[in-house]
Amino acid sequence: MESSLLLPAFYLPPISYFHIIQQSEQPLLVERFEHYVKQTYRTRTKIATANGILDLIVPILHGVKEHIPMKDIRINYDFNWQRLHWLSIQTAYRSSPYFEYYEDDFARFYEQRHDFLFDFNIEQLQLLLKCMKINRSVAFTETYISPVEPLDYREVIHPKKPSLLEHPKPYYQVFEEKHGFLPDLSVVDLLFNQGPQSKSYL
């Protein structure tokens, strides 16, 4: 266990998530049994739009129990959030250099339904690793893993905590002239703007 990189399952994770993966040689171990935590990247991602940073949030079904394992969290389809998210992503990145190249790969996440948030996030993670040509296998915890150091990143990458990227190197962004460089957004911002160069950026 000590030799694994312990990560949570995020929705279109931020660049810092993949920076950690790329900088480490340890096997990837994704936590399935942690209690679901509100207001984290497990259900939200940040993209750059003409109006600045936009948070896209996946709605979930809230059960009677307070503490629900991440693997059992169900996605809520009471309203068509998939259409809203995909339209926002298309509007934000349609003019980026590589959006059309990856468009079909990502469109399916907004056309098909996934019952569970964990499965939805993991399928995206596997696609993102493939798109960035990061050859890493992903394993999953069989029980909850007690906090360990220094390779436990379950609580480190958080929207309300400072980014792990202390001095992020700017790359081209569609709306940079309007808002300046926006660091540590969803990794799709890097992918759609940098394409095959994304891995070397990390």
Side-chain angles (χ1 to χ4, degrees), residues 2-63:
E2 287 76 9
S3 62
S4 295
L5 191 63
L6 186 56
L7 294 165
F10 284 166
Y11 172 45
L12 296 178
I15 293 168
S16 52
Y17 186 97
F18 289 90
H19 175 73
I20 291 167
I21 292 174
Q22 185 63 5
Q23 298 302 310
S24 171
E25 295 180 356
Q26 282 81 9
L28 305 185
L29 188 63
V30 180
E31 175 65 75
R32 297 173 65 224
F33 291 90
E34 64 179 355
H35 289 153
Y36 169 73
V37 185
K38 296 178 182 177
Q39 298 183 349
T40 68
Y41 288 121
R42 288 159 183 81
T43 52
R44 69 179 58 207
T45 193
K46 296 177 183 291
I47 63 171
T49 73
N51 296 318
I53 294 176
L54 174 67
D55 282 0
L56 300 177
I57 301 171
V58 179
I60 62 168
L61 293 172
H62 294 278

Side-chain angles (χ1 to χ4, degrees), residues 8-169:
F10 284 166
Y11 172 45
L12 296 178
I15 293 168
S16 52
Y17 186 97
F18 289 90
H19 175 73
I20 291 167
I21 292 174
Q22 185 63 5
Q23 298 302 310
S24 171
E25 295 180 356
Q26 282 81 9
L28 305 185
L29 188 63
V30 180
E31 175 65 75
R32 297 173 65 224
F33 291 90
E34 64 179 355
H35 289 153
Y36 169 73
V37 185
K38 296 178 182 177
Q39 298 183 349
T40 68
Y41 288 121
R42 288 159 183 81
T43 52
R44 69 179 58 207
T45 193
K46 296 177 183 291
I47 63 171
T49 73
N51 296 318
I53 294 176
L54 174 67
D55 282 0
L56 300 177
I57 301 171
V58 179
I60 62 168
L61 293 172
H62 294 278
V64 177
K65 294 184 297 182
E66 266 186 46
H67 301 299
I68 305 173
M70 179 67 181
K71 69 180 182 63
D72 295 331
I73 296 293
R74 291 180 175 271
I75 298 176
N76 188 341
Y77 291 98
D78 285 350
F79 75 95
N80 196 354
W81 63 269
Q82 288 176 293
R83 180 176 181 273
L84 177 64
H85 282 209
W86 187 234
L87 280 175
S88 298
I89 291 170
Q90 287 178 306
T91 302
Y93 296 109
R94 175 62 67 197
S95 61
S96 65
Y98 295 96
F99 179 76
E100 287 187 2
Y101 183 78
Y102 298 109
E103 182 177 7
D104 290 344
D105 290 328
F106 287 91
R108 64 186 173 89
F109 291 106
Y110 304 96
E111 296 166 350
Q112 304 167 4
R113 288 193 174 193
H114 291 72
D115 290 334
F116 293 96
L117 177 66
F118 185 86
D119 298 338
F120 181 64
N121 289 353
I122 289 300
E123 279 196 38
Q124 290 180 337
L125 172 60
Q126 290 169 332
L127 171 62
L128 287 161
L129 290 170
K130 180 181 175 183
C131 288
M132 290 187 288
K133 296 180 169 51
I134 299 175
N135 187 21
R136 303 290 290 277
S137 59
V138 179
F140 309 104
T141 56
E142 295 299 327
T143 59
Y144 176 72
I145 303 295
S146 297
V148 291
E149 293 292 347
L151 301 176
D152 182 354
Y153 287 94
R154 288 172 294 182
E155 301 302 327
V156 176
I157 308 170
H158 193 286
K160 295 181 181 178
K161 292 182 180 180
S163 170
L164 295 183
L165 301 177
E166 292 181 3
H167 304 289
K169 179 182 174 184

